[in-house]
Amino acid sequence: AQSVTQLGSHVSVSEGALVLLRCNYSSSVPPYLFWYVQYPNQGLQLLLKYTSAATLVKGINGFEAEFKKSETSFHLTKPSAHMSDAAEYFCAVSGHTDKLIFGTGTRLQVFP
Amino acid sequence: DAGVTQSPTHLIKTRGQQVTLRCSPKSGHDTVSWYQQALGQGPQFIFQYYEEEERQRGNFPDRFSGHQFPNYSSELNVNALLLGDSALYLCASSLAGLAKMSGELFFGEGSRLTVL
């Protein structure tokens, strides 16, 4: 069975500051891990994915995440926040299928 | 290249009624999954259709049913609506063989259902 836990339902940063969104996973098989972003009144857009290749994964819009097996973590980072990054972010896990298990989400606010 | 399209975008129903939501997958995709996203929550897997059959199902009652057509489009039906069924219903498509390697889904913008 798979599950993810997102620590912090709300994160607030200033424009230009580091963004760090936390995700820990549990999986009975080597996991595939994903970060999706959801803008208001829209569907989900894939930011990046880990599928057992490089442990540091780069995605769109300057985001990246590092898979750490020893810590069962897949935290999302961005060096410098932009106002346009304000959205809901979801971490998800799958067990080599196309059924995703999502976390409860983290709402990112960016202040000028 | 058209992405995943869903209809209607918004609808309002009353308790006890029935609703049908529709989804057209991304061009070239053969698998459709449905997710329910309640307000303030992450999406929850309802079920998945492949080759016109339900292949996987999440922890949802039989009031939730679906169908996939030969052109890979899909419908989600919910009977005997409850207030708790109010949510954003997301459709996601994938290509079966590729998804097992990448696990990536493509999502539509969803159908927002309000049950009064």
Side-chain angles (χ1 to χ4, degrees), chain B residues 23-73:
Chain B
C23 172
S24 292
K26 180 179 169 65
S27 178
H29 285 184
D30 56 10
T31 303
V32 173
S33 302
W34 288 92
Y35 288 78
Q36 180 195 65
Q37 185 180 15
L39 193 63
Q41 300 295 318
Q44 300 286 321
F45 176 76
I46 302 175
F47 45 50
Q48 181 185 81
Y49 277 83
Y50 172 68
E51 293 188 337
E52 302 180 48
E53 292 191 357
E54 184 180 292
R55 188 167 72 170
Q56 301 184 71
R57 189 178 182 92
N59 188 27
F60 280 81
D62 292 344
R63 298 187 297 110
F64 289 77
S65 63
H67 188 77
Q68 186 179 35
F69 299 93
N71 66 353
Y72 307 120
S73 66

Side-chain angles (χ1 to χ4, degrees), chain A residues 58-109:
Chain A
K58 295 185 183 298
I60 62 172
N61 300 338
F63 284 94
E64 64 181 37
E66 185 173 7
F67 173 71
K68 292 186 176 181
K69 184 178 179 181
S70 61
E71 299 177 7
T72 61
S73 68
F74 190 59
H75 302 331
L76 182 70
T77 61
K78 182 174 181 178
S80 176
H82 295 159
M83 296 295 291
S84 60
D85 294 328
E88 188 90 18
Y89 292 79
F90 292 95
C91 181
V93 64
S94 77
H96 297 203
T97 72
D98 48 2
K99 171 186 171 182
L100 295 181
I101 306 299
F102 287 89
T104 53
T106 297
R107 181 167 299 277
L108 175 66
Q109 288 184 302

